[in-house]
Amino acid sequence: MSTADDRVEVRAPGRVNLIGDHTDYTGGLALPLAIDRQIVIRGVDTDEPVISLTSDQDATPASIPLPAVVADTEPPWARRVAAIAAELGREQGFAGSVESTVPIGAGLSSSGALGVALALALSADADHSRLEVALLCQRAQQAATGVPAGILDEMASLHGLGGHALLLDCHELSIEPVPLPEGAEIVVKYISHRTVAGSPYSDRVAACFAAEEVIGPLRLARMEDLSPLSDPVLLARARHVVSENERVRQSVDAFRSGDLKAAGRLMTASHTSLRDDYEVSTPDLDSAVETLVSTPGVYGARLTGAGFGGCVIALAEPGAVTEAWVVRAVDGAEVVSGGSNYYRGP
Ligand code: GLA
């Protein structure tokens, strides 16, 4: 029989991406941070071969017979539970609850954080590295949604570091912490609900892979390498990716040297590229960014995450933006109690 001492508690944060969107699935660069909005799972192992979880975000609980089968699992959030359990080869039952302060469908990686929290809760004593957990969560995310998403969300949730953004190299799968400057805030404004499933995300991934068939890996390409792309749409998609990788590099230099104006300019340029070349913005996101960049004390603003809705973020002087959340960079996901800890590092 389970006792209170067997109780597992894990937490996994959401993320914002300061810059470097739609670069991860071609092995490019991004600069996310784990934020102070998180998913907490508490529960116990059980003898019955079923995973039973309630959620404070969905009235319908997940009930997954083991071994888990992903296809047709309902409600949709339970598909993620099944996919993580299947990836882990989990055979032992688990009963617990999911609580979230990451808004759903806002582009702040509520799904990524859920996947990471589930993976930790259902393997709290396993000896996985953070990278192994990120990779298994990415496979589970693809199995649950059919969307060929990259690894940005999982890496940010697992590797977060208080007070730091994370320079993520999606080819090397390496992380370099970048201290966030003291004299600025990162603010988030919610604009509209969206889900990546059912969005043109997969088309964008396919366009990048089609461009790579012609010019080789986008992560290695420079602007002058794009001329063989005769299709104007592929050219525009590739131009976004190549310029965005370069903006991430320049942003890291700007943050490290405390040049907030340069960091802000790069963020706004990133939004323009996502809007015009990658075509993943919306009129509402554009007008929110325009309003922010014309607000005194704002260094720059952009959509964050996949686009098609969700949130915009701004880098601003403290107090410059009202009616927005100020986010703080926090440490990455962890087993809080009832299992071995996940330490920082690869
Ligand atoms: C979503 C995906 C990530 C990444 C971003 C865009 O959040 O899950 O892998 O591609 O969109 O940068």
Side-chain angles (χ1 to χ4, degrees):
M1 226 186 77
S2 307
T3 67
D5 291 344
D6 302 327
R7 210 170 149 80
V8 170
E9 178 177 330
V10 303
R11 53 166 286 274
R15 60 105 188 90
V16 297
N17 194 14
L18 281 181
I19 193 160
D21 272 311
H22 290 282
T23 50
D24 60 347
Y25 43 82
T26 47
L29 304 175
L31 191 62
L33 49 122
I35 58 170
D36 49 341
R37 299 268 176 151
Q38 62 181 14
I39 290 190
V40 174
I41 297 181
R42 297 185 184 88
V44 287
D45 289 345
T46 60
D47 295 334
E48 206 193 341
V50 176
I51 297 176
S52 308
L53 283 168
T54 59
S55 165
D56 66 351
Q57 304 293 310
D58 195 316
T60 313
S63 178
I64 312 292
L66 299 173
V69 176
V70 180
D72 301 329
T73 299
E74 291 294 340
W77 77 273
R79 224 165 286 155
R80 176 90 42 166
V81 182
I84 295 282
E87 274 296 330
L88 290 167
R90 172 100 185 183
E91 290 182 353
Q92 180 164 22
F94 185 86
S97 63
V98 180
E99 283 172 26
S100 176
T101 55
V102 190
I104 291 182
L108 302 180
S109 188
S110 57
S111 309
L114 175 62
V116 169
L118 286 164
L120 297 198
L122 298 178
S123 67
D125 287 315
D127 193 18
H128 294 138
S129 70
R130 286 177 184 265
L131 180 55
E132 284 166 338
V133 177
L135 289 166
L136 87 82
C137 288
Q138 184 192 21
R139 290 192 299 271
Q141 125 84 27
Q142 296 185 350
T145 63
V147 175
I151 201 162
L152 166 70
D153 304 344
E154 291 80 7
M155 289 295 270
S157 182
L158 280 153
H159 288 270
L161 183 59
H164 290 72
L166 310 165
L167 171 58
L168 168 61
D169 181 323
C170 299
H171 178 70
E172 301 291 338
L173 294 175
S174 63
I175 293 270
E176 223 180 284
V178 178
L180 287 167
E182 303 254 311
E185 282 177 350
I186 297 157
V187 298
V188 176
K189 265 187 187 270
Y190 174 77
I191 306 302
S192 64
H193 185 273
R194 65 108 185 95
T195 56
V196 170
S199 76
Y201 185 98
S202 305
D203 293 354
R204 298 300 185 273
V205 176
C208 286
F209 292 172
E212 290 194 323
E213 292 280 310
V214 182
I215 61 162
L218 286 173
R219 73 188 160 82
L220 301 177
R222 293 156 306 170
M223 284 306 217
E224 53 270 34
D225 300 326
L226 304 184
S227 48
L229 292 169
S230 51
D231 177 331
V233 173
L234 288 196
L235 174 62
R237 305 298 188 242
R239 193 163 53 218
H240 165 71
V241 175
V242 172
S243 63
E244 186 79 347
N245 282 329
E246 182 53 25
R247 280 186 290 271
V248 175
R249 285 186 201 97
Q250 292 180 9
S251 294
V252 170
D253 292 344
F255 279 112
R256 286 204 168 124
S257 63
D259 188 346
L260 297 171
K261 285 190 178 151
R265 267 197 309 273
L266 289 159
M267 286 171 70
T268 307
S270 166
H271 182 81
T272 305
S273 178
L274 288 161
R275 181 191 69 197
D276 298 345
D277 278 345
Y278 223 65
E279 295 186 90
V280 293
S281 190
T282 67
D284 287 347
L285 292 170
D286 294 342
S287 80
V289 166
E290 271 164 38
T291 305
L292 282 166
V293 293
S294 58
T295 303
V298 170
Y299 298 108
R302 63 189 289 278
L303 69 81
T304 188
F308 316 111
C311 287
V312 296
I313 57 169
L315 182 71
E317 283 171 8
V321 182
T322 52
E323 291 172 30
W325 320 324
V326 177
V327 293
R328 279 189 316 113
V330 301
D331 285 352
E334 62 183 336
V335 178
V336 177
S337 62
S340 50
N341 227 315
Y342 281 72
Y343 296 100
R344 263 175 226 128

